[in-house]
Amino acid sequence: MNVTGPRRSTTTDDENMAPVELPHVLVTVADDGTLTATVDGTHFEESGASAWTRATFGPLMDAITKDRTIAVRVEVRESDGSVFTDILRTRKPRRAVAPSENSVPETRRSRHARRVPRLAEVTAHGFVPGEDVAVATIVSHTDATGTGEARALIDLDDLPERSSREVILFGRISGTLAVRRLT
């Protein structure tokens, strides 16, 4: 029979355990879609001459988190009063793989993995800024920029063999429909 009591913390245990503090990022969205950001109460400067916008939210977060090497707590305050909060975690560092000294015969899968994609760009205007834009033969989705323009990069090798080589961009809010031929 074990009669030992529960483990009790000592003063040294409490001294070694400090609370975790993440940098607090506050992003405020103006009516025109421009963003202002502060990190722990300090204004975060815009990149170059242009202001941050909804379309550049990802690059803004990359700049603040130093390409996701530090975790941050993000609070986004929209112009309509709604507030969104999230924690952006760090990415796991990628290790460089040393080339193998043993030469392994190339397989179909390894050839496919190192191939360079053949991309086609499709653009259209008339979308609501920030709306979700479907790319059909639904190979992907994209978002409209702050000016209402949608852009999609399509890997031509991902299209079915007998496809018509046409792409549809469909704005899910505006109902804007654009059909473009891939060249």
Side-chain angles (χ1 to χ4, degrees), residues 18-39:
V20 176
E21 292 185 25
L22 296 176
H24 180 240
V25 177
L26 176 60
V27 178
T28 306
V29 183
D31 288 330
D32 64 353
T34 58
L35 309 176
T36 56
T38 60
V39 180

Side-chain angles (χ1 to χ4, degrees), residues 2-150:
N2 188 356
V3 289
T4 59
R7 183 179 182 281
R8 302 206 191 304
S9 64
T10 63
T11 313
T12 56
D13 289 342
D14 292 337
E15 290 172 358
N16 293 332
M17 295 189 55
V20 176
E21 292 185 25
L22 296 176
H24 180 240
V25 177
L26 176 60
V27 178
T28 306
V29 183
D31 288 330
D32 64 353
T34 58
L35 309 176
T36 56
T38 60
V39 180
D40 290 332
T42 305
H43 181 69
F44 189 80
E45 295 296 322
E46 287 86 13
S47 64
S50 62
W52 296 109
T53 64
R54 288 181 190 273
T56 59
F57 182 79
L60 170 63
M61 290 298 107
D62 287 342
I64 291 173
T65 62
K66 298 179 175 68
D67 287 324
R68 305 275 300 269
T69 58
I70 58 171
V72 295
R73 178 179 177 265
V74 180
E75 183 177 330
V76 179
R77 293 185 183 167
E78 292 283 346
S79 58
D80 65 359
S82 56
V83 178
F84 303 95
T85 304
D86 202 356
I87 293 177
L88 293 182
R89 299 179 183 195
T90 59
R91 289 185 182 132
K92 292 183 181 179
R94 294 183 182 175
R95 295 182 188 162
V97 178
S100 173
E101 292 180 16
N102 306 348
S103 65
V104 178
E106 187 174 57
T107 64
R108 230 174 71 187
R109 178 176 278 180
S110 66
R111 274 193 307 274
H112 180 73
R114 68 175 168 77
R115 75 169 177 83
V116 177
R118 297 180 311 127
L119 300 177
E121 181 178 358
V122 179
T123 59
H125 295 279
F127 298 97
V128 172
E131 80 172 295
D132 186 36
V133 177
V135 179
T137 59
I138 312 266
V139 291
S140 67
H141 280 81
T142 189
D143 293 327
T145 64
T147 60
E149 181 179 27

